[in-house]
Amino acid sequence: MPRITAERIRLLLVQNGVLIALILLIVLFAVLNPRFISIGNVQTIVLQIAELGLIALPVAFLVMQANVDLSVGSTATLAAVTGGLTMVATGSALLGIVVGVVVGAVAGIINGTLISILGLNSFVVTLGFMSAWSGLALFLTNGKTVSGLPKEFTSLGSLAPLGIRIQIILLVVAIVVAWWVLNHTTRGREILAVGGNLRASQLMGLKVHDIRVSTYVVTGAVAGFVGLLLAAKLGAVSPVVGSGMELDALTVVLLGGVAFEGGSGRIRSVLYGLAFVGVLKNGLVILGISAYVQTILVGLTLVLAVGLDRGIQQAVARSIASSARRRQRRDQQELAG
């Protein structure tokens, strides 16, 4: 049994900091307003974070491979706009959904190609497309909401098989798939390997470009689907429907302890980050906090997430170094004996 030391305790606290913070946040909001922990409000929180969770999961895989996508919110918006316009023009909900998902996937192909094959910086590329896709969505709609969507499409937004909203079902399925891919497939190990050491992965013969581009394609396609899901729930397509989701997703991922430098991450911890953001936003609404203050606090949470990420990396590095020193002393003692 590993010996309990101050270093191990500190490492455990750092690695589970977001879970501890989540519990404290729940307690705080429950004390300030008991309605916060009602069954109805818990269901509301889960429903509110469903779309964000769907986007955050593939973004987590991108960060694990030492990349980032700041354009997922704009991609969701553009996919919803193009899909919505297609539905209005043709009357076909299915065609509109296909167009929206394909637009998202194409956006992912563009990102992945520029970043992996041409070697451009992922932050700069996706920041540029965040603006480009948002501007294109406004251009296509002339800044107006797209209405007149087919009823069979808008009904999807409130679909509830067995009394459970479709958004929640999709999130649960996505969580299971993401966990399985990361922990039980070759692709999951390859993503972590690429993020941990790109050069070593190339020397090992991994198809690095395929791995990185395919992850961007999946992220774009999921973002496109989420944009359509939001449009179905709202019953119309706003040209800013996905605005801000990219920063929320990144906050969730970093709070979840996924190393910004790549190479490590756990789906369970990402879920803690997702719950933290959902609880924070919902609790502030229940307490009647201004939307402007909410934006400030979410922004500060992103800064906290980056700090937590750095703290985890430093704590892990110290723990590894400490273990190495103990092992070296033990070896020396055995040799001396």
Side-chain angles (χ1 to χ4, degrees), residues 302-315:
L302 177 57
V303 177
L304 171 66
V306 174
L308 181 62
D309 172 67
R310 179 55 57 89
I312 290 174
Q313 301 312 310
Q314 292 176 346

Side-chain angles (χ1 to χ4, degrees), residues 66 75 78 127 189 191 228 318:
T75 299
L78 181 61
L127 180 63
R189 292 189 291 272
I191 287 173
L228 291 165
R318 286 195 299 268

Side-chain angles (χ1 to χ4, degrees), residues 189-208 211:
R189 292 189 291 272
E190 289 174 343
I191 287 173
L192 291 175
V194 169
N197 193 318
L198 178 62
R199 181 58 181 161
S201 299
Q202 292 171 328
L203 294 175
M204 288 168 57
L206 297 183
K207 296 181 179 179
V208 172
I211 295 167

